[in-house]
Amino acid sequence: MKPPYTPEIIRQHGLTADEYARVERLIGRAPTWPELGVFSVLWSEHCAYKSSRVHLRRLPTTGPKVIQGPGENAGVIDAGDGWAVVFKMESHNHPSYIEPYQGAATGVGGILRDVFTMGARPVALLDALRFGRPDHPKTPHLVEGVVHGIGGYGNCVGVPTVGGDAMFDASYDGNILVNAMAVGVARADRIFLGRAEGVGNPVFYVGSKTGRDGIHGATMASEEFGEDSESRRPTVQVGDPFTEKLLIEACLEVMGEDLLVGIQDMGAAGLTSSSCEMASRSGSGLHLKLEAVPVRESNMTPYELLLSESQERMLMVCERGREQRLIDIVTRWGLDVCEVGTVTDTGRFVCSWHGEVVVDVPVAALVDDAPKYERPMRAATTPPAVGEVPVPADLGATLVQLLARPSIASKRWIYRQYDHMVRTGTALRPGDGDAAVVRLPETRRGIAMSVGCNGRQCALDPRVGAALAVYEAAINVACVGARPTAITDCLNFASPERPEVMWQLSQAIDGIAEACRALDTPVVSGNVSLYNETEGRGIHPTPMIGMVGLMDDVATVRGAAFPSADLAVVLVGGAAPVLGGSEYLLLATGELAGPPPAFDAAQARATIETLLAAHADGLVLSAHDCSEGGLAVALAECCFGRDVGAAIAVVGEGRDDVMLFGEAQGRVVVATDRPDALLAVAAKHGVPAAILGRTGGDRLRVRCAERTLIDAPVAELRRGWATALEEMLR
């Protein structure tokens, strides 16, 4: 197709009339058909972050442990002993709703490439999943497809899936969230960047052949869903984990021989984004010969070659004169490899097709000059206050109901389908602790990881909810004995064209920034996923947080379950629980009402330091934070791991149900054999702590003064918790 283009063609490319006019001004003419496609994907929300860039700069991104912050394929922190941890989280929401198996599988493949592109060997995967109502007709299909896709790809590629988070809420009925996080390790002095430097250096295509799958995937991910969303299956990529495994090994071997100037994976927008981003970072130009790209389908056009999002492909800039060694290594791994271009000093992105130039535009016009909007913002409607909630006559029965809620119930059905022990580096398995832990190679050190976010709290107050998401991820890491060090985020929101959504995004970014500064956990990488809505109905704002922490000795790691009888149970952290945004309120009334729990930055920092000091003194034998479902659910979960009961006495003057099931910032149930020493550590840091009781027996008994609130066999409490998710899917 040639210009002039109709308004409908421009709209189908995700460009507004003003944006298209800006394209013509920047290049001084109408774009060719391939150029229109290139501008379409690179100026999409998914690639250009045109609605969020002005806000993201408020995030803290530097610190003493940060080696590489945002702007590259993944973030990098110093892990000690000459090692670095490389990590990032990204979304694959739209593709996973349309085609759950391949959408989730290729999300895993893409985030793995972001990590090993930096020169790191991937050592762990985590997933953060949000689905609609359990009784929604599509939910079982989506859950099964997504879980099988994550497991199928991760298991085959040989990277353990060691942790994650899954919640269910009606706001995700029409737009599920599939956020994948990958963590890798590299030598700190061997980090590779996505650069295209050195005029005359050859550019190599490495990996799978190019097909027509995924064309305009980035554009599709920058739109809300409508009635035709099911017809978008051709924009979903198809993954091949076995090829990815070969690609990992080939890339790491090439990197090990110092053959490369730069390397970038072909993710969203494929060959276009990888080449233009590399050139932009270096201030250089590129000339690509598209006829050299290996293809698996006949009669592919330049437009299709540039926009295809076929998986398992990399772009490498090689040192001139060392091409043959690169070719030899990649060929030995059974992958396609061919020279497709050259680095130039023109600052232009030029693509030719059998000698004819089909793209010739400034790199800056595609990347630096992409639209950047300060969209209107308007505070969202104040949520309703918590109304009348009758106190249940049987608090034990209420606990059983809460434990069977899909957002609280055991996720064993999910994680048992993942290989979490491959490579034998996993020190704490899924379900055993509040965070996953893997060993740092050749050392005694460990890497702790946690992901999560409570979208209900963010819907009630996006700033507080986002801060609480950072804090809970940090508490989870501290519970296992690691110091929270840095985060990656995945900001999932509805349409930025709605002022209240932009306000939510801006507020959430401020909440993340506040919590990260309080905890000294800078943001080193991340992703923004907007337009998560269907026919005008958006998801809860869900700024997903992936926290990484470091520990000196994995032998000191602690799980969540009470390890034995006759230990003291201590509650560390004394924030007053509230009903706002709680799982219990949703169970009791079906309503989302607030306000949510408050965030206290100083107390958050003090609680983290208390836990770390207690771990250092050997006082922590198990630790588990109180999150969804409150104190009673946390106590029950502590009993489940080794079938150890507990006799608990709580003190409170308010409502029993709020005391048991209300939610609050940063409360941790700790089992210890030296309670007085633990209380002294908490007092030193100014953190409230109280002895609740002792472990033992086969029942969970909770009393307040002379009243028995809960008295139930651990086995009975466990039954619904253990089977609820499977029953839902059945």
Side-chain angles (χ1 to χ4, degrees):
M1 186 173 294
K2 296 181 179 180
Y5 305 113
T6 66
E8 177 63 15
I9 289 293
I10 293 169
R11 187 197 65 78
Q12 289 173 355
H13 280 74
L15 297 171
T16 66
D18 287 345
E19 287 171 346
Y20 178 76
R22 182 175 179 172
V23 168
E24 290 198 342
R25 287 197 303 272
L26 284 170
I27 65 176
R29 55 178 171 78
T32 65
W33 182 244
E35 288 171 345
L36 179 63
V38 166
F39 274 102
S40 167
V41 291
L42 288 184
W43 282 19
S44 68
E45 191 71 62
H46 191 72
C47 290
Y49 287 24
K50 54 191 178 184
S51 298
S52 58
R53 274 189 293 168
V54 296
H55 301 284
L56 293 173
R57 63 191 178 198
R58 301 199 299 271
L59 294 171
T61 58
T62 60
K65 291 281 189 181
V66 177
I67 295 174
Q68 176 64 56
E72 278 288 342
N73 292 286
V76 186
I77 60 172
D78 187 347
D81 294 329
W83 287 97
V85 179
V86 181
F87 60 101
K88 189 179 182 183
M89 179 162 53
E90 280 202 344
S91 63
H92 232 222
N93 304 334
H94 286 59
S96 298
Y97 185 81
I98 295 169
E99 212 314 298
Y101 184 94
Q102 289 295 348
T106 51
V108 171
I111 198 64
L112 286 172
R113 289 193 297 280
D114 280 340
V115 164
F116 72 77
T117 295
M118 303 291 291
R121 178 172 291 282
V123 295
L125 287 164
L126 300 92
D127 54 33
L129 312 176
R130 295 294 178 268
F131 298 104
R133 291 166 294 159
D135 59 353
H136 188 278
K138 289 202 70 171
T139 296
H141 162 71
L142 292 169
V143 173
E144 291 194 66
V146 165
V147 171
H148 291 155
I150 293 168
Y153 202 100
N155 295 353
C156 293
V157 82
V159 179
T161 302
V162 297
D165 181 55
M167 294 182 73
F168 297 78
D169 189 276
S171 80
Y172 307 106
D173 279 349
N175 202 122
I176 64 174
L177 303 183
V178 177
N179 294 176
M181 176 177 172
V183 180
V185 295
R187 299 303 299 180
D189 59 352
R190 300 287 298 163
I191 302 299
F192 286 78
L193 304 177
R195 305 295 169 93
E197 297 175 340
V199 174
N201 278 333
V203 179
F204 278 85
Y205 173 115
V206 172
S208 294
K209 290 180 169 63
T210 295
R212 290 187 170 93
D213 51 320
I215 292 175
H216 272 299
T219 309
M220 180 268 290
S222 306
E223 300 171 347
E224 65 177 275
F225 282 147
E227 293 180 355
D228 65 340
S229 62
E230 295 293 336
S231 68
R232 306 297 295 274
R233 291 181 189 275
T235 62
V236 177
Q237 311 94 321
V238 177
D240 181 352
F242 299 104
T243 298
E244 180 104 335
K245 173 61 176 172
L246 299 175
L247 189 60
I248 291 173
E249 301 304 330
C251 288
L252 292 179
E253 185 173 344
V254 167
M255 292 169 176
E257 295 201 15
D258 286 330
L259 305 178
L260 300 183
V261 173
I263 179 171
Q264 177 92 4
D265 78 293
M266 297 190 210
L271 182 59
T272 291
S273 66
S274 57
S275 52
C276 290
E277 287 172 8
M278 292 178 81
S280 175
R281 293 188 190 113
S282 304
S284 61
L286 284 178
H287 183 184
L288 301 183
K289 298 180 179 180
L290 298 178
E291 68 272 12
V293 173
V295 297
R296 66 169 185 260
E297 299 184 45
S298 59
N299 301 317
M300 290 193 69
T301 65
Y303 181 99
E304 293 170 326
L305 292 170
L306 285 165
L307 271 59
S308 168
E309 293 184 9
S310 293
Q311 296 291 285
E312 293 86 39
R313 302 180 301 159
M314 308 290 279
L315 202 65
M316 299 180 179
V317 176
C318 180
E319 290 273 8
R320 174 64 71 184
R322 310 206 66 189
E323 301 94 326
Q324 192 56 51
R325 182 57 185 154
L326 185 151
I327 293 169
D328 291 344
I329 291 172
V330 176
T331 301
R332 183 162 50 79
W333 285 101
L335 300 168
D336 279 288
V337 53
C338 57
E339 186 174 340
V340 294
T342 308
V343 178
T344 70
D345 61 359
T346 64
R348 301 184 72 82
F349 181 53
V350 178
C351 302
S352 58
W353 177 246
H354 297 288
E356 177 189 356
V357 173
V358 293
V359 173
D360 186 356
V361 294
V363 172
L366 293 167
V367 181
D368 302 332
D369 295 330
K372 182 168 61 177
Y373 296 130
E374 295 196 31
R375 293 191 184 275
M377 294 190 289
R378 180 178 62 244
T381 305
T382 302
V386 175
E388 187 68 27
V389 181
V391 179
D394 187 340
L395 294 167
T398 302
L399 175 57
V400 170
Q401 289 178 289
L402 274 172
L403 288 167
R405 302 274 293 177
S407 291
I408 291 176
S410 169
K411 304 306 184 293
R412 183 176 181 275
W413 181 87
I414 294 177
Y415 63 71
R416 74 182 181 187
Q417 298 181 57
Y418 303 155
D419 187 341
H420 50 263
M421 292 302 293
V422 65
R423 303 193 65 81
T424 67
T426 307
L428 197 61
R429 298 177 298 179
D432 286 354
D434 282 19
V437 179
V438 297
R439 294 178 184 86
L440 194 64
E442 302 174 18
T443 75
R444 298 179 64 86
R445 296 178 184 272
I447 309 165
M449 301 150 283
S450 175
V451 295
C453 173
N454 188 324
R456 287 195 303 275
Q457 294 176 344
C458 295
L460 293 170
D461 188 324
R463 180 170 183 149
V464 169
L468 289 173
V470 174
Y471 184 35
E472 181 169 351
I475 280 281
N476 288 337
V477 164
C479 278
V480 303
R483 175 171 290 280
T485 306
I487 75 162
T488 180
D489 58 26
C490 195
L491 308 181
N492 305 275
F493 288 79
S495 171
E497 296 170 37
R498 292 199 278 134
E500 64 273 17
V501 173
M502 275 309 305
W503 177 82
Q504 289 174 334
L505 175 61
S506 176
Q507 288 286 299
I509 287 171
D510 287 340
I512 292 170
E514 179 186 6
C516 286
R517 289 192 177 97
L519 302 176
D520 289 336
T521 54
V523 184
V524 298
S525 61
N527 174 238
V528 179
S529 174
L530 304 180
Y531 293 98
N532 287 291
E533 61 179 62
T534 299
E535 297 178 12
R537 185 170 183 270
I539 62 164
H540 286 330
T542 312
M544 205 72 74
I545 303 298
M547 179 71 71
V548 168
L550 301 173
M551 60 193 313
D552 291 334
D553 189 347
V554 292
T556 65
V557 69
R558 293 291 181 260
F562 294 144
S564 65
D566 203 28
L567 298 173
V569 179
V570 178
L571 182 65
V572 176
V578 300
L579 293 184
S582 67
E583 189 76 28
Y584 168 65
L585 181 64
L586 203 62
L587 169 67
T589 68
E591 295 178 356
L592 178 64
F599 174 71
D600 182 327
Q603 194 67 11
R605 177 63 177 263
T607 304
I608 296 287
E609 295 302 327
T610 297
L611 287 172
L612 295 176
H615 273 286
D617 291 344
L619 303 177
V620 178
L621 300 180
S622 72
H624 182 38
D625 82 311
C626 303
S627 55
E628 289 80 25
L631 175 61
V633 165
L635 288 167
E637 291 172 337
C638 290
C639 294
F640 294 157
R642 299 189 181 180
D643 292 320
V644 176
I648 301 297
V650 294
V651 178
E653 298 178 354
R655 294 173 46 142
D656 292 338
D657 56 343
V658 177
M659 184 166 47
L660 293 175
F661 310 126
E663 297 172 13
Q665 165 189 288
R667 298 178 299 160
V668 180
V669 175
V670 178
T672 181
D673 56 359
R674 289 188 282 162
D676 291 340
L678 179 57
L679 294 180
V681 170
K684 178 182 176 181
H685 288 87
V687 172
I691 299 174
L692 297 182
R694 299 195 73 80
T695 62
D698 60 359
R699 304 177 72 86
L700 174 62
R701 295 183 174 92
V702 183
R703 296 174 61 82
C704 181
E706 298 303 316
R707 296 174 294 117
T708 297
L709 305 183
I710 294 171
D711 187 355
V714 171
E716 179 184 316
L717 295 173
R718 174 202 281 272
R719 192 173 299 119
W721 174 85
T723 60
L725 197 54
E726 279 187 82
E727 291 297 324
M728 181 198 82
L729 295 172
R730 193 173 296 159

